[in-house]
Amino acid sequence: QVQLVESGGGLVQAGGSLRLSCAASGRTFDNYAMGWFRQAPGKEREFVAAIAWNDNRDHADSVKGRFTISRDNAKNTVYLQMNVLKPEDTAIYYCAARTFRTIATMRSNYFYWGQGTQVTVSS
């Protein structure tokens, strides 16, 4: 069983930055691939970024060059650094884990989810 707790969301002006954190329980964190997804009001939950056990990473086209996913296995934590934020980045951001080492971009490939953290970007 894995429990995920996100933090770091908030209200920021367009062009600003935020760093989201996701703390994971469990002794085998470094064997899991981790992901970030987001869901805006009235929209489907969408892939944002993912990172494998070996730091292989993928980012959605909409955030490439602005967001960066990283992980610290010693702290059982995954991060999402978000720069040059835009109003369209406003959403609830969810951390997710899958019990495989390789990354995936489909939400159905992730078995554990956090409660989410709200990110609001004002124009």
Side-chain angles (χ1 to χ4, degrees):
Q1 190 74 8
V2 175
Q3 291 186 328
L4 304 173
V5 179
E6 303 98 334
S7 61
L11 173 65
V12 63
Q13 288 188 332
S17 298
L18 283 174
R19 188 175 83 154
L20 304 183
S21 299
C22 173
S25 65
R27 295 178 295 175
T28 57
F29 174 79
D30 54 339
N31 286 333
Y32 297 163
M34 303 293 296
W36 286 99
F37 289 75
R38 67 185 181 186
Q39 189 166 14
K43 294 189 176 181
E44 296 274 326
R45 191 171 300 188
E46 65 176 5
F47 169 75
V48 176
I51 187 166
W53 68 281
N54 60 355
D55 277 351
N56 185 33
R57 312 175 197 199
D58 192 14
H59 297 81
D61 288 343
S62 59
V63 306
K64 277 181 182 175
R66 300 188 298 121
F67 292 11
T68 303
I69 190 171
S70 62
R71 66 191 296 161
D72 185 337
N73 289 338
K75 296 182 178 180
N76 280 13
T77 301
V78 62
Y79 304 98
L80 185 67
Q81 179 66 45
M82 306 186 295
N83 299 326
V84 195
L85 281 159
K86 304 176 182 180
E88 52 263 43
D89 294 319
T90 295
I92 299 174
Y93 283 71
Y94 296 90
C95 176
R98 62 194 302 262
T99 55
F100 294 95
R101 290 186 166 189
T102 55
I103 59 176
T105 61
M106 295 179 61
R107 61 182 182 177
S108 60
N109 293 134
Y110 289 82
F111 307 112
Y112 301 104
W113 293 84
Q115 293 299 308
T117 185
Q118 176 71 48
V119 171
T120 303
V121 184
S122 64
S123 56

